Amino acid sequence: MNCNEISRLISLQLDGEISLEQKAKLDEHISGCADCRKEMALQKALMASLTEVPAPAPSEDLGARIRAAVMSRPARIERVPLSYRVFAAAAIVMLSLAVIYLLSALQNIRVEASRTAAALAAVQKLAIAHPKEAPATVPTEAAVIEQVQVFRAVRDSVGGSCKWVVTDGNDVEIGATKSGATTAPQPAADLIVLNFEYSESELGKPLRVVSNPQFVFYSGSEVSVSLKGDSSEEPATKYRVSAEKLMGGGIRAMLNFTSECPSSGEDCNSIMTRTVLSPGKPMLIGAGENGNRRWQLKVWGVARPYNYRGPVNGTNPL
Amino acid sequence: MEQANVPILIDHARHGDQDAFGALMEMHKNAIFRVAFRLTGDEASADSVTQDTFVQAFRSLNQFQGRSQFKTWLYAIAVRKAADQRRESIRKRATKSLDITGGENMHMATTRDPSDVLQGKEFEQLLSAAITRLPEDQRAALVLVAQEKMSYRDAARALDCSEGTVAWRVWNARRLLKTMMKDHLPNFND
């Protein structure tokens, strides 16, 4: 073996990765080569120095800052690989470039979008801003602002017929008026922001959030949407929701919810309820057991004006 | 906390238990900071990389499949974040690049008599600076293997390459370091 090859064996030796056969060759060569003996000694000294180079301790508050950074976003855990999310985001952008079909107002409605940069940006932002993650039950005010901004952006992009926007991870559904008639934005109009959290698990195991769609729609209007599960093992869910802001600040909501059994494809878990939500307070609106599985549905909601951009004078409306 | 608790903490953290994730973070924070410092060369960058690493880890927890140790997975994130940080710093800095892609002309600038062999703190500082001048992939391999004492197998997982590639990068890093430090190393003669 030449000295160059021996230097590689020296490196393996220092890292404890040398085989017995390689070690024998190394020892044999070193015994007769002064240059390689010198190289061995030098690399050993360098190795020792590398190990001794100190690293400073982190600042004492680093742990607290990491916790704050983690908690400043809702406890969202990615549920799909990054490559899939990137692909999904790209697919949604492509969808906005392609034709988006206008269907019945009572079914999933996709409004034909003009091929504008604003439409691209709005839809792309939706996909990127709402990765498929498990949510916190209580979104932050920043998250609420973002949802309202997204609604405005989509409305501005696809036209004044937009009545509602529902995001669920990388999926975006848009609802329009039945007739397609457009209306000018009403800055003072109230928007209802509802976040749902649907969880399932096998009996005896912790509940796992299956989907967490976010709804933004005009107070007093209705949303009807079907959302697909992430995979064949996760149920599709259907929501029919109407809500209005009450004078006293509460949100009166009517909800029909159904989830599909992954195995049979039939509707299994369902809720039909009317309730009044306290703004900003999560509410468990349904739970049950179905065979060896249990489930629950929570909702959280607030009302915000259409042109809402954040709390005034630092007062957090939540 | 015992290492045996890590899988339990991971499972809890996956379900949104931030306290569980906090415990995981405390267990590994110092090691990640140390690696981040060794990869970036300064405390502020290391601090930033460490934060980014754990935020990413929290968001990507469902992608950890247990094929490697949790620590190895964190190291992989930290290496990527350090690389991002370095690219960002280079973009912001309007100076000549310190990245050296290899070769023999990598002397460490010094005003000292080059025949002096440095000792102690001064040598460590020069060595630390030299490490940050290594090509990114070689630096990462050297830090993980020679300083963090990872096996080639674990380092390969963290760096998303083969064990052979790790061995090659570490070997090259050692050669480059020797070239950069040659004026300050002892003269080992028989």
Side-chain angles (χ1 to χ4, degrees), chain B residues 44-60:
Chain B
S45 297
D47 189 288
S48 177
V49 165
T50 304
Q51 283 197 62
D52 290 348
T53 296
F54 282 104
V55 168
Q56 181 65 47
F58 183 67
R59 296 188 60 197
S60 308

Side-chain angles (χ1 to χ4, degrees), chain A residues 14-36:
Chain A
L14 291 171
D15 297 331
E17 298 277 353
I18 197 168
S19 68
L20 287 173
E21 185 185 349
Q22 289 169 327
K23 179 77 165 62
K25 288 178 181 173
L26 174 64
D27 289 343
E28 184 187 352
H29 180 96
I30 288 251
S31 63
C33 179
D35 285 343
C36 285

Side-chain angles (χ1 to χ4, degrees), chain A residues 203-281:
Chain A
L203 288 176
K205 291 191 177 177
L207 283 165
R208 182 180 66 89
V209 176
V210 171
S211 72
N212 60 303
Q214 294 135 29
F215 290 56
V216 183
F217 53 98
Y218 285 110
S219 175
S221 64
E222 181 181 288
V223 180
S224 184
V225 66
S226 292
L227 302 171
K228 297 175 191 172
D230 271 353
S231 67
S232 60
E233 294 175 350
E234 293 195 344
T237 50
K238 300 175 195 171
Y239 293 81
R240 186 172 169 182
V241 180
S242 63
E244 62 175 334
K245 179 185 169 188
L246 300 176
M247 288 293 289
I251 298 170
R252 179 161 55 207
M254 195 270 305
L255 167 69
N256 279 11
F257 167 84
T258 308
S259 77
E260 193 182 82
C261 292
S263 53
S264 65
E266 295 177 354
D267 292 345
C268 48
N269 308 322
S270 66
I271 302 168
M272 186 185 296
T273 186
R274 292 174 187 271
T275 188
V276 175
L277 303 176
S278 296
K281 289 185 168 46

Side-chain angles (χ1 to χ4, degrees), chain B residues 108 110-118 122 182-185:
Chain B
M108 295 291 295
T110 175
T111 57
R112 293 174 62 97
D113 184 331
S115 65
D116 285 348
V117 173
L118 297 179
E122 202 167 353
K182 68 181 182 183
D183 290 339
H184 309 290
L185 292 170

Side-chain angles (χ1 to χ4, degrees), chain B residues 151-169:
Chain B
S151 66
Y152 284 1
R153 188 178 75 164
D154 286 344
R157 285 191 177 135
L159 299 172
D160 194 24
C161 64
S162 68
E163 291 182 43
T165 299
V166 170
W168 187 88
R169 288 176 183 174

Side-chain angles (χ1 to χ4, degrees), chain B:
Chain B
M1 192 169 301
E2 295 175 1
Q3 197 66 21
N5 285 344
V6 168
I8 299 170
L9 290 172
I10 291 171
D11 190 54
H12 282 251
R14 277 198 178 120
H15 290 91
D17 184 342
Q18 292 184 344
D19 287 338
F21 186 80
L24 286 169
M25 182 267 292
E26 289 296 339
M27 289 168 68
H28 297 95
K29 171 189 63 167
N30 288 356
I32 296 302
F33 181 86
R34 185 176 63 236
V35 165
F37 177 79
R38 285 174 169 157
L39 290 173
T40 61
D42 73 273
E43 289 184 54
S45 297
D47 189 288
S48 177
V49 165
T50 304
Q51 283 197 62
D52 290 348
T53 296
F54 282 104
V55 168
Q56 181 65 47
F58 183 67
R59 296 188 60 197
S60 308
L61 209 48
N62 273 2
Q63 294 178 33
F64 174 65
Q65 297 175 357
R67 286 201 291 261
S68 63
Q69 286 195 338
F70 184 68
K71 187 176 181 179
T72 304
W73 184 69
L74 286 177
Y75 277 158
I77 299 174
V79 167
R80 287 196 299 272
K81 292 297 180 186
D84 292 345
Q85 175 89 0
R86 185 175 177 87
R87 280 189 283 272
E88 185 60 28
S89 296
I90 289 172
R91 263 201 301 278
K92 285 178 180 174
R93 225 174 36 227
T95 62
K96 61 182 181 213
S97 171
L98 296 177
D99 276 346
I100 299 169
T101 53
E104 294 300 309
N105 299 318
M106 291 191 303
H107 251 186
M108 295 291 295
T110 175
T111 57
R112 293 174 62 97
D113 184 331
S115 65
D116 285 348
V117 173
L118 297 179
Q119 308 257 344
K121 199 167 175 60
E122 202 167 353
F123 182 83
E124 285 172 0
Q125 286 171 347
L126 272 180
L127 184 57
S128 293
I131 293 170
T132 62
R133 285 174 164 78
L134 291 170
E136 201 172 282
D137 55 353
Q138 293 178 28
R139 178 173 64 246
L142 186 74
V143 166
L144 293 183
V145 170
Q147 294 185 304
E148 296 298 313
K149 304 298 182 189
M150 287 181 91
S151 66
Y152 284 1
R153 188 178 75 164
D154 286 344
R157 285 191 177 135
L159 299 172
D160 194 24
C161 64
S162 68
E163 291 182 43
T165 299
V166 170
W168 187 88
R169 288 176 183 174
V170 172
W171 174 59
N172 265 295
R174 285 192 163 113
R175 291 197 308 164
L176 293 175
L177 269 186
K178 190 185 83 170
T179 302
M180 284 194 275
M181 301 291 292
K182 68 181 182 183
D183 290 339
H184 309 290
L185 292 170
N187 192 11
F188 289 100
N189 286 320
D190 283 339

Side-chain angles (χ1 to χ4, degrees), chain A residues 141 149 291:
Chain A
E141 186 58 21
Q149 284 175 338

